[in-house]
Amino acid sequence: GNLQVFDTPGLGAQRDKMEHALHLREALRVEGGVHAVIFVTSMSVRSDDAAAELARHVGLLRPFHHNLFVLFNKIDVPMANGVCLTHETKAEYMEMIDGMQDVAGYIFYHHGVGPAFLADAISEACSTCEPMSYNFSDFEFAWCFDIERNLTKKEHEQLNGLVADFAALCDNIHNQLTVVDWTTYGNYKQVFLSDLSIKLNEIAEAQVRKFTGIIPDEVTPSIYAHYLSTKKRIGAPLKVMLERLQKMSGGIISIQQQCLRKCPHCG
């Protein structure tokens, strides 16, 4: 049969990046599916550099891990520089990749062996996989191709401060509750604990809303990811605290995590 190849520059394109992105999207959702996705990297770089290059594509390639092959080219470059290419050397590169992404297999190639070898290797890879396609949503694909804005040190410290302050508040309240003589409160204990859970939800939600004061940028996938991360980290001590309150109430009251409902960017 015929071997049909879609060649794209991936996320490393320096020019016409959006055009390349659209071509790549179409290639990955082609009718009938693709048998193999060949990720090309070079053995002329260090193994951790090759892994970092793949890491930039992980979100895009993860649905295809059963069809994903990593092709190391320029394997003659280390030998030309006096480095002996052994099985251990290849294993080091493969181990670095395996640490971050499941793949179907590996191909090692240099131009000296000729294009026929490469065509045979890719054909063999295709023959071992069932064809598949993945129709990325607009948001998923935008996420994969987003140009990230790295947070400043001050922004990281402020976001971490939101989480740390709320966690400290929860710990402080819990410590105070453990020394209360609840026998003097009677039925008011359940009312108090219920009201406290509502208040903690409100405080947590207020903490999350402070995100937009720290990072006022227009929402992008990377900004939204930081927002979700902050919301989740604030939600963790809240969940623990609500479970403690429910236990203190003897399970009589139903305490739920009701905060963190809307993104202040997206509504």
Side-chain angles (χ1 to χ4, degrees):
N2 294 326
L3 179 64
Q4 187 175 11
V5 178
F6 297 89
D7 184 18
T8 74
L11 302 184
Q14 299 300 314
R15 299 177 57 185
D16 303 320
K17 188 168 185 176
M18 181 52 65
E19 181 180 352
H20 293 316
L22 294 174
H23 286 321
L24 180 55
R25 182 182 190 181
E26 292 304 312
L28 293 176
R29 64 179 183 182
V30 65
E31 185 177 357
V34 295
H35 285 81
V37 176
I38 311 295
F39 179 84
V40 181
T41 188
S42 173
M43 284 200 75
S44 62
V45 299
R46 300 188 319 178
S47 58
D48 52 347
D49 290 336
E53 178 65 18
L54 178 61
R56 297 177 56 207
H57 298 73
V58 162
L60 190 65
L61 298 176
R62 182 165 285 123
F64 293 87
H65 66 272
H66 290 301
N67 300 65
L68 176 61
F69 292 82
V70 176
L71 189 156
F72 290 103
N73 66 6
K74 300 182 181 179
I75 66 171
D76 53 328
V77 172
M79 292 184 288
N81 293 329
V83 177
C84 181
L85 189 62
T86 64
H87 290 296
E88 288 75 15
T89 305
K90 293 181 179 179
E92 176 187 344
Y93 279 81
M94 291 188 289
E95 182 179 350
M96 189 68 68
I97 299 296
D98 288 338
M100 72 171 60
Q101 171 73 34
D102 291 331
V103 299
Y106 295 90
I107 301 172
F108 293 87
Y109 171 77
H110 66 87
H111 292 293
V113 298
F117 170 87
L118 181 59
D120 289 342
I122 294 177
S123 296
E124 182 177 353
C126 291
S127 68
T128 62
C129 301
E130 293 294 325
M132 73 161 290
S133 62
Y134 187 84
N135 192 14
F136 293 91
S137 68
D138 290 339
F139 186 79
E140 282 181 303
F141 207 71
W143 189 295
C144 293
F145 279 86
D146 179 52
I147 300 175
E148 296 184 4
R149 177 181 81 78
N150 293 326
L151 299 186
T152 65
K153 179 180 179 181
K154 182 179 179 180
E155 288 170 335
H156 274 297
E157 290 175 347
Q158 289 177 309
L159 292 180
N160 290 335
L162 293 180
V163 180
D165 289 347
F166 184 73
L169 173 66
C170 290
D171 287 339
N172 187 37
I173 292 175
H174 177 255
N175 291 336
Q176 294 183 53
L177 292 177
T178 56
V179 297
V180 172
D181 181 7
W182 293 107
T183 59
T184 61
Y185 284 82
N187 294 331
Y188 291 106
K189 174 183 178 181
Q190 281 72 29
V191 176
F192 173 79
L193 294 177
S194 178
D195 289 345
L196 179 57
S197 71
I198 294 173
K199 187 61 178 179
L200 284 172
N201 270 290
E202 292 174 351
I203 295 173
E205 191 167 4
Q207 286 293 94
V208 174
R209 284 199 299 269
K210 292 178 183 178
F211 180 93
T212 55
I214 298 173
I215 304 178
D217 302 38
E218 182 178 346
V219 65
T220 66
S222 62
I223 294 297
Y224 186 60
H226 287 300
Y227 166 78
L228 291 178
S229 174
T230 303
K231 181 175 74 169
K232 183 177 181 180
R233 290 194 295 148
I234 290 175
L238 174 63
K239 181 180 179 182
V240 172
M241 190 62 193
L242 294 182
E243 289 174 349
R244 287 171 172 172
L245 295 180
Q246 189 171 33
K247 185 176 180 179
M248 287 181 182
S249 73
I252 296 176
I253 60 175
S254 177
I255 298 176
Q256 296 181 346
Q257 187 171 334
Q258 298 174 343
C259 72
L260 321 180
R261 291 164 294 187
K262 292 184 179 181
C263 171
H265 286 95
C266 307

